[in-house]
Amino acid sequence: MRARAGTRRTTLTALPLRGLVPGRRFRLTLTLDASARRLRVEVSDARGDLRPHRLPADADPLPTGGRGPTLVTALADHWDCVPYPPHGKTVRAELLDTGA
């Protein structure tokens, strides 16, 4: 899991920095569940109105803006977006060690 997750973890944790707006705060949380062989990357911010969505299968994989969901879909084994009280969002991505 270390080698495979290393590059993906680095990329997933760097994504919020690419879209960082001066003065806007975010929280990055990494959680390793060794018994489940799972690493969770969570990024929370106060912009609940800008929620990422999965692109349809026939959509352009490299749109002119907002490539984050495309990259997260390619790198994570699972991801979703949930509310972050009081009005923000948390994007959660999980990397699983399949033993491959």
Side-chain angles (χ1 to χ4, degrees):
M1 181 176 197
R2 288 182 207 133
R4 179 173 167 250
T7 300
R8 296 189 311 158
R9 179 187 65 234
T10 301
T11 302
L12 287 171
T13 56
L15 279 173
L17 301 176
R18 302 257 319 141
L20 188 61
V21 175
R24 187 183 311 160
R25 295 180 183 190
F26 70 93
R27 178 181 9 194
L28 172 65
T29 306
L30 300 176
T31 306
L32 177 62
D33 183 344
S35 63
R37 299 170 63 153
R38 176 180 59 223
L39 174 68
R40 177 179 277 180
V41 179
E42 295 183 352
V43 180
S44 303
D45 71 32
R47 292 295 306 266
D49 59 319
L50 295 175
R51 295 175 60 104
H53 300 283
R54 295 182 199 283
L55 296 175
D58 61 345
D60 178 2
L62 296 176
T64 56
R67 294 187 177 118
T70 300
L71 292 170
V72 173
T73 298
L75 296 169
D77 294 301
H78 170 76
W79 74 273
D80 62 355
C81 183
V82 296
Y84 178 72
H87 54 269
K89 67 179 175 298
T90 296
V91 176
R92 304 182 299 197
E94 292 185 348
L95 307 177
L96 305 174
D97 181 6
T98 59

